[in-house]
Amino acid sequence: MTAADTPLTLPAEWRDFLALTKPRVMTLVVFTGLCGMLAAPVAVDPVLGFTAILCIALGAGAAGALNQWYEADIDAVMKRTQGRPLPAGRMDRQAALHFGVGLAIFSVVLMGLAVNYAAAGILAISILFYVLVYTVWLKRRTPQNIVIGGAAGAFPPLIGWAAATGQVALLPLLLFATVFLWTPPHFWALALFIRMDYANAGVPMLPVVAGERATRTQIGLYTIPMGLAAIAPWPLGLTGPIYGISAVVLTAIFGAMALQVATRTTTDGDTMRPEKRLFKFSLAYLALIFAAVVADRWMA
């Protein structure tokens, strides 16, 4: 039975609309956007700053809602997503579409009118990239879906910086690159231990298409440029030692975990503990890297 065939058993409530926005994903998006804003070399009016972060959150929520609207059939097959509002039959697909489009338009318009057009333009690009490029075009067609689609989640620090300054600069571009290059090892670590979920849904994630060995190798390879991008602001003089030392230590830990994942081979009954550990640490890694940017800016 597909999501389209699932009968509506309960009326949608506010919790279902909140679930459409992917709040756990939104938390990291909002945090990196906030850090991009706080790292900017200008003071931001608190009201405008709050409005900008609100717009980033609403834009991320809109992208999540439209993603779930388009992928309702996939979500109905995968164990980890079957409880979402659409595959569970708690919401009509049309309601999800209208909710997502409405949030997207409102977030971009509010950002443009209340903050500045540069931030609004980047926010619009990020939403369109996630929905059209990643969700509609790439995800079902190529194992490079995460590689290219990772750009969508890398925009928030650019948006935050642009909200504060009205432009972009080298530091937020390096933060963008860090998130962009972090995305493949982060998601491929996850894909290794839920590979059958993706296979059953027909999603061509790298472990499904190229196999476990190739995926492990790619995790190791992508960790190298990710680490270089994360550390680069320090030798380039864009940050001080607080950020630099933090980035070096965190990247070394990430690299050690990625190396273990890249070089090991699973056995019968393997619980995938190194892969799960890398996936969890990768979330902390990104949060701490961005926290270090802010700490460096305000404690220097």
Side-chain angles (χ1 to χ4, degrees), residues 95 100 171 216 250:
L171 179 56
R216 293 179 181 281
L250 290 168

Side-chain angles (χ1 to χ4, degrees), residues 11 24 31 39 77 80 114 150-151 167 185 189 201 214 257 264 279 294:
R24 286 192 296 178
F31 182 72
V77 177
R80 72 185 184 92
Q167 59 187 5
M257 291 185 176
R264 84 184 202 95
F279 175 74
V294 177

Side-chain angles (χ1 to χ4, degrees), residues 95-119:
L97 174 62
H98 293 167
F99 177 68
V101 171
L103 272 187
I105 294 173
F106 179 75
S107 65
V108 172
V109 171
L110 180 61
M111 182 75 89
L113 294 178
V115 185
N116 61 61
Y117 292 121

Side-chain angles (χ1 to χ4, degrees), residues 16 31 114 128 162 288 298:
D16 297 317
F31 182 72
L128 291 172
L288 291 171
W298 290 94

